[in-house]
Amino acid sequence: MTMLRDPSAKYRPFPQVPLEGRQWPARTITQAPIWLSTDLRDGNQALIDPMDAEKKTRFFDLLVRVGLKEIEVGFPASGATDFDYIQNLVRSGRIPDDVTPQVLTQARADLIRTSFDSLAGARTAIVHLYNAVSPAWRRIVFGMERADIKQIAVDGAKQLRDNAARLPQTDWRFEYSPETFSTAELDFSIECCAAVMEILAPTADHPIILNLPATVEASTPNIYADQIEYFARHLPNRDAALISLHTHNDRGTGVAAAELGLLAGADRVEGCLFGNGERTGNSCLVTIALNMYTQGLDPGLDFSDIDQVIATVEYCNRLPVHPRHPYGGELVYTAFSGSHQDAIKKGFAARERQNDQHWEVPYLPIDPADLGRSYEAVIRVNSQSGKGGVAWVLEQDKGLKLPKKMQASFSHIVQAVADKTSRELGAEDIWQAFEASYLSVADKRFQLVDWSESHSSPARGGGPRSGGGAQASERIFAGVLRIDGQQRSISGRGNGLMSSVIAALAESGGPIMDIVDYSEHAIGQGSTVQAAAYVECRTADGKSVFGCGLDTDVATASVRAILSAANGA
């Protein structure tokens, strides 16, 4: 075998579909499709270790809880394992009345009969018949002509009809797939489907399901949409058919192909939770469904506890859900970048002020809370993070709302910790850094022991600022502090509590500071409420220092904040 220097020479571009006046590009999806899970069949056959009966039962129960009304439960003709599981599922009464089981079979008489027998006793059921129709399969796999392939479909349809008559207690429905539709001639796929419909005589009230699989994804999604619209336009008796999509992900666009196929007129989508399946997998039902939420549509499926869904799927498939998988991945609602964190933080702040429920938070297309996720992991901090991320974590974890300039100052401290450890910092790491920088008094120069406040008597009369009235009283701070390890009594005067504390520090050999900014807020409520006080001070050499104080008493919190800034100076 000779290797080509240019591998592209081996491949041919996929042909365009002769579709004039295509309608799908101007359409929008206005309602959820019929959903079918193929996890227990297509997904199961793609596993290194296929599920046993216990895992299949657990997965089936999950699919029912999520809201799937049509579930492909297996390939009963493949062997005793699938046959026995399906029969036990039917006999156990585990299938709710509004859920329809489906099985898959090739177009062979013995396999079709076995498939019907596996579902014997079901209230209603779908038997899904398929045969491959594309040129490569006809020529390479079967060595047959079109007429031979069509006859396989016709004979299979007759077997469906006759076996349904043999077991009349079940309300039988039929699905037919011109397998390898995505790489077949459109006129021949339509010809085979029309021939099957002629045998089974579907009606608008009892339609056949025609599944048009992208068995191998061989074109861009718009070509697949053209194929679906062309098929729907030219299929005889279109009202008696539900068009179903089964897209694979060979090009990485299985979800896009399914969505464009819905725009092109399809009624139903087949796929697996989180996209399991042969090769690169099937289209992901979770992604397609939750994409609908972002367009204001109810998908009719419940992923409000997505972590529990993931846990079950991972247990049954023994495959992990990728951390960057849309909607379900561990990291998909997480921002490490500083600019992203700042935008998200501002988005949540804006939500607190808005008067409607419409979701509009930068970088988050869906509210994580709608999927059972908390906001705690929305912003995570590493060496790439900025002030917004650090402030978010402190607010979410401890209720602290740092002033903007203090956020910037503290972020440099956190950055140094992240650089030193070369890892992501958790909420506890950030809290320890904050405590060490602003709250802890261990090894700090100024430590509060006790304090009190008094007022000097106002002077009367005549200074130029008094206007002849009473002058404002001074505030006198009297404190007991441990300074440089020695307990001392200090005092100072000022026009307010904080200025009197600063004066007392200066008179005791502490730093000379002016207050630039002060803010405070409550943390918690009721009897457990605490006050958080923040102060920015400027030292004599023009340096900005920040302090924070926490206490059940707001005045004491303010005093602690000043001492915190003094320790920083």
Side-chain angles (χ1 to χ4, degrees):
M1 182 176 178
T2 303
M3 295 296 294
L4 298 177
R5 294 184 65 185
D6 179 10
S8 67
K10 293 190 294 184
Y11 306 100
R12 289 171 291 183
F14 199 86
Q16 297 288 312
V17 175
L19 183 65
E20 297 293 332
R22 54 182 54 79
Q23 300 296 309
W24 66 262
R27 294 175 181 158
T28 57
I29 298 173
T30 57
Q31 63 180 16
I34 301 165
W35 304 104
L36 173 91
S37 162
T38 63
D39 287 275
L40 300 180
R41 199 278 304 169
D42 197 337
N44 187 51
Q45 76 181 30
L47 298 177
I48 298 170
D49 298 309
M51 288 179 264
D52 58 19
E54 184 270 332
K55 286 186 171 64
K56 291 191 82 169
T57 300
R58 184 180 293 201
F59 211 129
F60 178 84
D61 291 345
L62 170 68
L63 295 170
V64 171
R65 287 199 305 273
V66 165
L68 272 298
K69 302 304 181 186
E70 295 183 1
I71 301 172
E72 195 163 68
V73 292
F75 199 141
S78 66
T81 300
D82 259 17
F83 184 94
D84 292 344
Y85 166 74
I86 295 166
Q87 254 296 282
N88 289 336
L89 186 65
V90 171
R91 292 173 178 173
S92 69
R94 204 176 199 96
I95 304 174
D97 288 344
D98 62 345
V99 173
T100 302
Q102 174 174 304
V103 296
L104 181 72
T105 179
Q106 294 165 308
R108 278 174 39 191
D110 58 330
L111 304 184
I112 294 172
R113 185 179 184 90
T114 298
S115 299
F116 274 87
D117 289 344
S118 73
L119 289 167
R123 184 187 60 83
T124 184
I126 301 169
V127 180
H128 180 185
L129 174 77
Y130 76 95
N131 68 303
V133 301
S134 68
W137 268 255
R138 295 197 308 262
R139 184 179 70 256
I140 299 170
V141 181
F142 304 119
M144 292 181 176
E145 301 296 327
R146 277 192 178 198
D148 304 313
I149 297 295
K150 177 181 175 182
Q151 191 60 49
I152 292 174
V154 169
D155 291 343
K158 290 177 179 177
Q159 291 294 323
L160 293 182
R161 178 195 63 195
D162 296 346
N163 277 279
R166 179 172 65 86
L167 298 169
Q169 69 273 25
T170 297
D171 176 19
W172 297 103
R173 296 168 56 200
F174 306 121
E175 177 172 351
Y176 172 66
S177 289
E179 182 70 354
T180 65
F181 167 84
S182 55
T183 52
E185 308 94 334
L186 283 167
D187 66 322
F188 185 52
S189 294
I190 292 169
E191 185 179 337
C192 290
C193 289
V196 169
M197 292 176 72
E198 189 173 341
I199 300 297
L200 297 176
T203 64
D205 293 331
H206 202 274
I208 188 173
I209 301 167
L210 296 178
N211 186 48
L212 307 180
T215 306
V216 176
E217 192 177 35
S219 68
T220 50
N222 61 298
I223 298 293
Y224 183 67
D226 280 353
Q227 291 174 321
I228 301 303
E229 184 169 336
Y230 184 100
F231 182 94
R233 284 192 197 179
H234 293 88
L235 177 72
N237 200 15
R238 167 68 177 90
D239 291 343
L242 296 173
I243 293 179
S244 188
L245 309 174
H246 184 121
T247 56
H248 279 254
N249 204 39
D250 300 271
R251 294 171 55 91
T253 54
V255 166
E259 290 183 323
L260 298 191
L262 290 173
L263 294 176
D267 310 289
R268 186 174 185 258
V269 170
E270 302 187 2
C272 291
L273 301 186
F274 303 109
N276 183 36
E278 294 281 15
R279 302 183 311 281
T280 56
N282 294 312
S283 59
C284 173
L285 293 187
V286 173
T287 302
I288 300 172
L290 294 179
N291 280 351
M292 293 188 171
Y293 272 135
T294 67
Q295 303 305 305
L297 296 177
D298 181 359
L301 298 179
D302 180 7
F303 295 112
S304 59
D305 188 359
I306 201 162
D307 289 332
Q308 183 57 49
V309 174
I310 291 170
T312 301
V313 171
E314 290 184 330
Y315 169 77
C316 294
N317 286 345
R318 297 186 182 181
L319 291 174
V321 172
H322 195 281
R324 296 293 182 189
H325 192 287
Y327 302 109
E330 178 187 357
L331 299 177
V332 296
Y333 306 110
T334 297
F336 290 99
S337 160
S339 61
H340 289 207
Q341 293 173 342
D342 184 61
I344 291 171
K345 183 175 180 292
K346 289 175 179 175
F348 276 104
R351 273 191 64 75
E352 294 180 0
R353 300 189 299 269
Q354 71 186 58
N355 296 320
D356 58 59
Q357 64 178 356
H358 290 116
W359 180 256
E360 190 177 22
V361 175
Y363 294 111
L364 294 178
I366 194 170
D367 186 348
D370 290 338
L371 305 181
R373 294 272 175 89
S374 72
Y375 294 139
E376 292 175 6
V378 167
I379 289 176
R380 292 164 63 172
V381 174
N382 62 16
S383 61
Q384 304 299 305
S385 304
K387 63 181 186 299
V390 173
W392 167 272
V393 172
L394 279 176
E395 182 173 347
Q396 296 299 305
D397 193 56
K398 298 296 183 181
L400 297 177
K401 301 177 181 179
L402 273 59
K404 196 166 186 177
K405 290 174 71 174
M406 189 176 184
Q407 292 177 25
S409 178
F410 180 53
S411 71
H412 294 302
I413 298 171
V414 175
Q415 175 81 36
V417 176
D419 288 338
K420 182 178 180 180
T421 59
S422 298
R423 63 173 174 83
E424 178 190 349
L425 302 183
E428 186 59 29
D429 296 316
I430 295 170
W431 174 242
Q432 288 178 3
F434 188 83
E435 271 195 314
S437 300
Y438 302 109
L439 302 179
S440 173
V441 294
D443 301 322
K444 297 293 176 65
R445 188 179 182 199
F446 302 102
Q447 301 176 21
L448 180 66
V449 177
D450 195 11
W451 75 279
S452 62
E453 181 188 23
S454 60
H455 299 258
S456 66
S457 299
R460 302 294 302 177
R465 294 190 176 194
S466 68
Q471 293 182 350
S473 66
E474 285 187 309
R475 310 282 281 273
I476 303 172
F477 170 80
V480 178
L481 271 64
R482 188 170 288 108
I483 303 176
D484 297 327
Q486 300 295 317
Q487 186 164 303
R488 294 173 54 185
S489 296
I490 67 172
S491 65
R493 294 171 176 265
N495 58 7
L497 171 62
M498 288 184 289
S499 61
S500 65
V501 175
I502 286 177
L505 287 170
E507 291 174 11
S508 305
I512 308 299
M513 301 188 301
D514 291 323
I515 296 174
V516 176
D517 188 43
Y518 172 81
S519 63
E520 64 187 41
H521 66 81
I523 303 175
Q525 54 186 344
S527 60
T528 62
V529 70
Q530 232 187 351
Y534 311 95
V535 65
E536 178 188 356
C537 296
R538 185 180 294 111
T539 62
D541 59 359
K543 176 185 174 183
S544 286
V545 291
F546 298 89
C548 176
L550 302 179
D551 201 273
T552 54
D553 173 64
V554 66
T556 302
S558 302
V559 173
R560 293 187 186 278
I562 294 293
L563 296 178
S564 172
N567 284 322

